[in-house]
Amino acid sequence: MTKLRNNSLIKKLGVQRLVITGVLIILFVFFYAMSPSFRKYSTIVTMTSYMYYIMLMAIGVTFPLITGGVDLSIGTGLVCYSIVGSFLMRQMGLPIWVAMLVTVGMGIFFGFFNGIIIAKLNLPPFITTLCTMMIVRGLGSILTGGMTGVWPMAGQDGSWFRDLLKYKINGTIYPVGLVFIILLVIFMSIVLNHSRVGRYIIAIGSNKEALKLSGVNVVRWHVMAYVFSGFFAGLAAIAYAGTFTSITPGTGAGLELDAIGGAIIGGTAMTGGSGSIVGTFLGVCLISLLKTGLPNVGLQANWQQIITGSILIVAVTIDMIRRRK
Amino acid sequence: MKAALQRFKGLPFVRLIGFNRVVLILIIFLMYGFFTVLTPLLRNGSSFVNYNRVLSAFNYAYFIGFLGLGVTFVIATGGIDFSIGAVMFCSALISGYCLTKFHLPLWLCICISVCVGAAFGSIGGYFVAFRHLPSFITSLALMLVAKGVGSIFTKTQSVTWPSSDPATSWYRDLVKWNGFPVGFVILIVIAALCAFLLYRTKAGRYMLCIGSNREAVRLSGVDTRRWEMLAYVMSGTLAGVAAIFYVGAYTTVQPGLGDTFNNEAIAACVMGGTSMAGGSASILGTVIGAIIVALMQEGILAMGFTISYQYVLTGLIVLGAVTADIISRKRKN
Amino acid sequence: MKKALSLFLVLLLIVGTLSVAIAADGKTYSFEIVSKGFQSTYWQAVLKGCLSETQKINDEAGYEMVKFNMVGPDSESDIAVQVNEFESALNAGPDAIGLAALDVNALNDNIAAAQAAGIPIIGFDSGVPNAPAGAVLANASTDNYAAGEVVAENLYAKIKDRILAASTPVRVGEINQDATSESITNRGLGFIDKFVALAAADGIKVAVVGNEKYVNDSTADKVAEADADVIIEVRVPAQTTTELCATEAGVVLNQPDTIAIFGSNQVSAEGIITANEMLGVCGSTDDMIIAVGFDSGTVIKAAVRAGVMFGAVTQSPVGIGEKLIQLLLAAAKGEAVQDTDTGCAFYTAETIDSDAIAPNLYD
């Protein structure tokens, strides 16, 4: 009787997520033991700060992935939206809340753009978002005349947005952003699993035809998945600006791979139909942990890449084996 | 009008290479004409009609073309290969390092470049075909590994292939010899070989089958794993070949880069008519697509616009091309 | 259909006539300038310098004597794009070309073509190092090696006493955006060599560890890590992005024995500042890590003003732009031109607003 209950408990938590959590703990202990600089509180805070924008992108991209698609435009999108936001503040003197609205608004717009083309015109998501990625990459530079984007720094007008991510009390920095992230993860998890839009998105991924036949307006929900992705790319743009302050135009290609990789490690299959926001959260934690821990253990940057690549393969192989069973 | 179109489509030449491809070739001429007219207007004194420009556009088209040819195989099987740019650079770095630091003969270094590419392709192909890993993640991971390996081998330094000493720089003649675009000839020859492999051999036919109906192939009991792996090996090998043409034109490679070329190679491939769903591929289309991508960059820069415009335009045009392709497929059905 | 065609032709005619009409008056010199990119606001400052100098010349002459077109790839690693842009610049048939080469070898053929066509080339910023003889008439650039030395001099003066008073070895970090470009490697090596030389004069032994390019190419008198009083740790990220520079900087800042850190260009200096935001270890007093950077930009300027960054070396981007136009005009007219070192200067919170420094800083 206990055995059965344990089994279903494990099933509920998700084998993949348990495996990831296990790997996270092992790696954490490893880095803790091997590197004195890793043990510092500031390193953990740094790790969370570098994690926010990837996490937001990953939460967003989980939705298109669940529909069996993908959104490659979030990386260059992040850069484009934040540069435009910076342009509004610095060149046009608008207040920061306007910039934030526009940044997120652009994300929603391009998400909608992607969604319509994929859902209505039936173009393959990969090539559609690849094209949007290129369009957005050039658009940021064109709109702002190639100027580097700079968001308000500490002490300037509008720097309160940084406090959303980390707050200093008596000299210690508290990663406030982490609280927001966890709340978002819980909220979006509920949206995914218990709301109508979430359930339809999962249905699109697992059996689109059946959903269509049942009379549901599939196009609307399919587009929503990409709107989510774009919306979170917009949020990620703000988070990126909050951590790194200056954004170089034309960059960003490659950021989406961290996010998508995190989601896939977390158990969201590329074929669609199943996925978990919590899993995505754990997957991104794993990638961030590698990104922070490896340099601290003294590895040069190129070794970091090889190891990250290898771990990705291992993680996916484990996922495959699990699915096979 | 419709009748004339039908008759045009019926012409043996058009039927041989496919109506879509003919449209693409027409697009090339249209673009060329467009740039020729606009360049002197937008940039005083500048002229687009210039043999040097054609050569310089070709320089960009060669390595994109080879990358595109390689990835055509992979996309034909329904997969995707993100690692081609990084593998190309890794091959160029490793073989270049052998040339400049170990002073190995040039022909050997060219072989090394191709072999390094093939090695990466084999690794990726093994994991996708035999271990059934999703190609997206595998090629992504392979990209990271390729970047790291290339960087480690050259100790994070860039490698500059020699360009003065004739004994060690005849590789540049592969690209251009006395003003003659040798590279184009080589591209056509290798493309023809690829077409033969894809359309006329058992391996190629299986690759296309895997792409169009994986379940049916699996149920038929035929072991197609090695043919799927071959697709990735082709992708890697051609990336190694592309490396030679990249350095032939630009001589210096830096570690850690190469990602942007992925997008352009895939764009060239898809523009040419290869379907991302797999099962349908066009070698000729890929070559034409590569020329279009290169011509577009050349033209936009010639008119005085920044490279950002090229990104936007390439994105829009590929989107348009894929839309047109999908609409024409729907109409066929 | 026919109507549209004729309308289009009329428009063409109008535009064509207009462009001919504009180029009336005296000879207009048109220049093409190929920069390294617009990746940092530094290049916008160079553009500003070019624009202001062009305005000045045209005002004096009374007509548009000089006009120029500046292009550049998006990032300093887009060699292929710069080659294409240089070719396009060449094809536009300018009276002279300004070039800040990312890679001279890739441009060799085109530089030779420019020479053959009789178009003079003027190098700027990092110029065109190792160019074929006679192709580049002059360079308006910063001596990057000397700039690195300037940083070392100022930093050493600041931390010398701390090193002498230390009982255990101390660490000085150097974050270089890459190990490949001329300007970065020269600055990095200039810093290392000068620092070691200054330290040796005071009897301090220095070891250099980290990225092999800098360790091996440095001509300084290094010792083994075990014997050193000061360890210079050189770190280069895998790719030249802000996040990776920040990560590498963070590793060095986290070491308990680090007392100073140097970022050899705007991106790496901003990386240091970003990494420090989490850690809060950089400052100007003796118990904090002394950070020094390069160039300016909003983030660095704010950090220097706040004392988070002790100081930085500024090049003279506006000056480079102005000098470039002057040299281009002279070369196009056939006058003799010479190399110009546009100089660099170290600035701190005290000197940042001075007349000598302020005009060179940009946002």
Side-chain angles (χ1 to χ4, degrees):
Chain A
M1 202 43 196
T2 344
K3 230 188 200 174
L4 275 172
R5 222 190 291 152
N6 274 347
N7 258 342
S8 66
L9 179 65
I10 290 183
K11 266 225 173 106
K12 199 161 173 221
L13 287 175
V15 177
Q16 179 73 354
R17 278 167 279 182
L18 281 178
V19 169
I20 302 289
T21 318
V23 173
L24 271 173
I25 296 178
I26 295 176
L27 276 178
F28 193 87
V29 168
F30 174 73
F31 289 135
Y32 198 88
M34 299 288 294
S35 161
S37 49
F38 190 80
R39 292 179 211 141
K40 289 174 145 186
Y41 174 69
S42 46
T43 311
I44 312 295
V45 173
T46 311
M47 186 171 83
T48 55
S49 287
Y50 291 169
M51 196 171 72
Y52 294 142
Y53 72 96
I54 307 181
M55 189 66 79
L56 287 167
M57 279 198 290
I59 294 177
V61 86
T62 308
F63 289 91
L65 282 172
I66 292 180
T67 67
V70 71
D71 189 348
L72 295 172
S73 64
I74 50 181
T76 49
L78 181 154
V79 169
C80 172
Y81 313 148
S82 60
I83 287 183
V84 171
S86 146
F87 183 78
L88 290 174
M89 280 187 285
R90 299 186 75 208
Q91 263 66 44
M92 297 179 52
L94 294 170
I96 186 174
W97 60 267
V98 173
M100 283 166 73
L101 275 174
V102 172
T103 301
V104 177
M106 279 185 81
I108 296 180
F109 171 75
F110 281 104
F112 188 74
F113 179 77
N114 279 329
I116 285 289
I117 295 182
I118 293 172
K120 200 90 206 215
L121 295 178
N122 269 318
L123 255 60
F126 186 89
I127 204 70
T128 310
T129 54
L130 188 72
C131 291
T132 313
M133 170 203 217
M134 291 203 264
I135 295 174
V136 164
R137 181 177 182 194
L139 202 62
S141 292
I142 294 177
L143 286 176
T144 63
M147 302 215 101
T148 306
V150 181
W151 278 59
M153 292 175 284
Q156 289 183 330
D157 246 345
S159 62
W160 54 264
F161 86 105
R162 292 167 169 270
D163 294 335
L164 291 174
L165 294 174
K166 56 185 194 289
Y167 203 75
K168 209 172 195 166
I169 310 179
N170 284 342
T172 329
I173 305 179
Y174 291 94
V176 178
L178 203 55
V179 174
F180 282 114
I181 295 285
I182 295 185
L183 286 174
L184 260 173
V185 169
I186 296 177
F187 182 69
M188 293 314 285
S189 219
I190 297 176
V191 166
L192 180 65
N193 294 315
H194 299 287
S195 80
R196 193 162 58 137
V197 57
R199 276 195 294 234
Y200 280 150
I201 289 178
I202 298 179
I204 293 175
S206 49
N207 201 333
K208 191 167 168 192
E209 277 312 305
L211 195 65
K212 222 191 271 187
L213 290 170
S214 73
V216 175
N217 184 354
V218 174
V219 170
R220 188 204 299 181
W221 306 117
H222 203 170
V223 172
M224 268 317 275
Y226 289 90
V227 171
F228 277 153
S229 180
F231 170 72
F232 278 98
L235 285 182
I238 300 178
Y240 185 89
T243 310
F244 295 104
T245 317
S246 76
I247 306 114
T248 314
T251 53
L255 294 177
E256 71 280 356
L257 298 177
D258 280 341
I260 295 175
I264 294 182
I265 292 180
T268 305
M270 286 221 65
T271 43
S274 80
S276 135
I277 306 290
V278 174
T280 302
F281 173 77
L282 292 171
V284 176
C285 281
L286 179 63
I287 292 187
S288 301
L289 187 61
L290 283 172
K291 271 189 162 178
T292 313
L294 291 175
N296 270 300
V297 185
L299 281 176
Q300 289 287 336
N302 31 39
W303 281 107
Q304 295 169 31
Q305 284 177 314
I306 296 187
I307 295 188
T308 311
S310 315
I311 294 198
L312 261 180
I313 298 224
V314 170
V316 184
T317 314
I318 296 179
D319 187 42
M320 286 267 100
I321 297 177
R322 175 183 70 88
R323 273 182 212 279
R324 204 43 53 89
K325 282 205 193 129
Chain B
M1 193 62 181
K2 251 199 188 150
L5 197 64
Q6 283 300 93
R7 252 188 303 163
F8 182 69
K9 279 194 192 173
L11 286 173
F13 160 75
V14 177
R15 257 196 304 177
L16 178 66
I17 55 176
F19 180 63
N20 285 338
R21 255 62 76 195
V22 174
V23 172
L24 282 176
I25 296 181
L26 281 173
I27 290 183
I28 292 184
F29 286 114
L30 253 166
M31 280 172 67
Y32 196 83
F34 185 73
F35 291 135
T36 307
V37 169
L38 279 183
T39 306
L41 293 180
L42 291 170
R43 213 167 169 186
N44 261 356
S46 207
S47 137
F48 195 70
V49 185
N50 192 316
Y51 188 57
N52 273 328
R53 280 211 200 271
V54 173
L55 286 180
S56 118
F58 273 162
N59 277 349
Y60 200 77
Y62 299 146
F63 74 91
I64 295 279
F66 285 113
L67 287 177
L69 283 173
V71 87
T72 306
F73 285 99
V74 171
I75 296 184
T77 68
I80 186 67
D81 195 347
F82 263 127
S83 63
I84 43 182
V87 170
M88 173 176 92
F89 267 52
C90 182
S91 313
L93 282 168
I94 293 183
S95 50
Y97 198 77
C98 291
L99 184 65
T100 53
K101 291 286 188 324
F102 302 150
H103 300 293
L104 296 177
L106 182 57
W107 64 266
L108 183 61
C109 293
I110 294 181
C111 290
I112 291 178
S113 173
V114 177
C115 288
V116 169
F120 275 104
S122 312
I123 299 174
Y126 170 75
F127 277 108
V128 173
F130 287 88
R131 292 273 161 250
H132 304 287
L133 291 185
S135 57
F136 190 94
I137 278 286
T138 312
S139 61
L140 222 139
L142 207 60
M143 172 185 84
L144 286 173
V145 174
K147 280 190 193 171
V149 168
S151 180
I152 291 177
F153 199 87
T154 64
K155 308 196 199 329
T156 64
Q157 292 172 49
S158 61
V159 169
T160 303
W161 284 57
S163 52
S164 34
D165 183 10
T168 49
S169 49
W170 58 261
Y171 69 94
R172 302 206 79 186
D173 296 331
L174 289 174
V175 173
K176 182 173 69 179
W177 187 65
N178 277 354
F180 183 74
V182 180
F184 189 67
V185 174
I186 300 183
L187 181 65
I188 297 292
V189 168
I190 294 195
L193 286 170
C194 287
F196 184 77
L197 176 64
L198 191 60
Y199 301 133
R200 296 237 183 271
T201 65
K202 186 167 68 159
R205 273 198 293 251
Y206 273 131
M207 286 183 206
L208 290 165
C209 279
I210 296 172
S212 56
N213 201 334
R214 195 176 278 263
E215 262 312 286
V217 171
R218 192 181 69 87
L219 288 171
S220 76
V222 178
D223 181 9
T224 51
R225 289 182 305 181
R226 49 203 161 122
W227 308 127
E228 193 176 3
M229 178 166 157
L230 185 63
Y232 290 86
V233 174
M234 288 304 296
S235 175
T237 313
L238 284 164
V241 173
I244 303 294
F245 284 85
Y246 181 85
V247 292
Y250 304 114
T251 62
T252 304
V253 275
Q254 289 173 333
L257 298 173
D259 291 345
T260 35
F261 303 128
N262 288 345
N263 299 338
E264 293 179 348
I266 294 178
C269 185
V270 174
M271 246 198 287
T274 303
S275 165
M276 292 243 42
S280 152
S282 165
I283 295 289
L284 179 63
T286 303
V287 174
I288 300 177
I291 296 179
I292 293 183
V293 168
L295 188 61
M296 186 148 44
Q297 184 186 68
E298 184 74 22
I300 291 183
L301 291 178
M303 292 195 289
F305 291 115
T306 59
I307 194 74
S308 311
Y309 287 92
Q310 191 233 355
Y311 295 141
V312 177
L313 275 167
T314 310
L316 285 170
I317 290 183
V318 177
L319 215 53
V322 180
T323 313
D325 194 49
I326 297 251
I327 293 179
S328 80
R329 264 178 226 279
K330 258 201 214 153
R331 247 188 235 152
K332 248 189 240 167
N333 291 344
Chain C
M1 187 67 175
K2 267 203 187 143
K3 248 199 218 167
L5 197 61
S6 38
L7 192 64
F8 180 62
L9 283 170
V10 171
L11 271 167
L12 262 177
L13 205 63
I14 295 178
V15 176
T17 328
L18 271 174
S19 36
V20 171
I22 290 176
D25 270 296
K27 165 126 173 92
T28 301
Y29 293 91
S30 80
F31 303 130
E32 293 284 331
I33 303 178
V34 183
S35 72
K36 278 174 162 180
F38 297 127
Q39 199 176 36
S40 60
T41 36
Y42 175 83
W43 296 100
Q44 299 287 333
V46 175
L47 179 62
K48 228 195 292 186
C50 291
L51 285 169
S52 75
E53 186 68 16
T54 307
Q55 188 66 41
K56 201 171 86 177
I57 294 179
N58 290 341
D59 284 343
E60 271 175 24
Y63 69 98
E64 197 193 17
M65 183 154 113
V66 170
K67 63 179 176 145
F68 72 93
N69 180 34
M70 183 188 264
V71 293
D74 256 351
S75 93
E76 301 201 4
S77 17
D78 279 336
I79 299 179
V81 175
Q82 198 194 46
V83 172
N84 268 329
E85 288 182 330
F86 187 76
E87 282 194 43
S88 293
L90 201 53
N91 276 317
D95 297 297
I97 299 184
L99 176 65
L102 284 174
D103 183 273
V104 181
N105 288 300
L107 291 166
N108 243 331
D109 279 349
N110 297 304
I111 295 179
Q115 236 180 324
I119 301 179
I121 301 179
I122 302 286
F124 69 104
D125 185 61
S126 50
V128 190
N130 302 326
V136 177
L137 299 183
N139 278 307
S141 55
T142 318
D143 182 346
N144 283 299
Y145 190 84
E149 292 185 323
V150 167
V151 181
E153 284 163 6
N154 282 283
L155 182 64
Y156 185 75
K158 178 87 178 164
I159 59 173
K160 179 168 83 166
D161 296 326
R162 278 171 77 174
I163 302 176
L164 289 169
S167 49
T168 52
V170 290
R171 188 175 300 262
V172 172
E174 176 179 294
I175 312 291
N176 295 306
Q177 154 177 299
D178 60 54
T180 59
S181 75
E182 191 77 30
S183 31
I184 307 287
T185 46
N186 273 332
R187 288 176 207 167
L189 291 170
F191 176 85
I192 296 175
D193 294 344
K194 191 71 180 179
F195 194 94
V196 175
L198 287 171
D202 286 335
I204 301 174
K205 293 180 282 202
V206 182
V208 182
V209 304
N211 184 277
E212 288 112 337
K213 164 88 178 172
Y214 293 93
V215 173
N216 295 334
D217 281 11
S218 158
T219 55
D221 228 349
K222 310 169 284 246
V223 303
E225 197 176 340
D227 307 323
D229 305 308
V230 178
I231 305 172
I232 297 183
E233 180 172 352
V234 183
R235 296 199 73 109
V236 175
Q239 272 173 283
T240 65
T241 61
T242 323
E243 309 91 69
L244 292 175
C245 280
T247 312
E248 298 290 335
V251 173
V252 175
L253 289 174
N254 255 328
Q255 310 272 30
D257 52 358
T258 305
I259 62 166
I261 189 168
F262 165 46
S264 58
N265 74 333
Q266 185 174 344
V267 175
S268 51
E270 287 179 354
I272 294 177
I273 296 172
T274 304
N276 181 55
E277 268 192 34
M278 281 20 119
L279 308 169
V281 291
C282 291
S284 304
T285 54
D286 271 348
D287 54 336
M288 310 213 81
I289 298 180
I290 309 295
V292 284
F294 213 89
D295 284 330
S296 54
T298 323
V299 177
I300 296 179
K301 284 201 300 192
V304 170
R305 284 219 167 88
V308 168
M309 186 161 259
F310 171 57
V313 163
T314 172
Q315 306 180 72
S316 178
V318 175
I320 290 179
E322 293 174 345
K323 207 75 195 123
L324 176 62
I325 295 287
Q326 288 170 8
L327 286 172
L328 283 170
L329 188 57
K333 284 185 178 167
E335 298 163 15
V337 286
Q338 279 175 335
D339 283 350
T340 314
D341 181 354
T342 44
C344 61
F346 189 81
Y347 66 94
T348 58
E350 282 106 52
T351 54
I352 193 173
D353 291 315
S354 71
D355 286 336
I357 301 283
N360 290 315
L361 303 183
Y362 54 88
D363 278 331

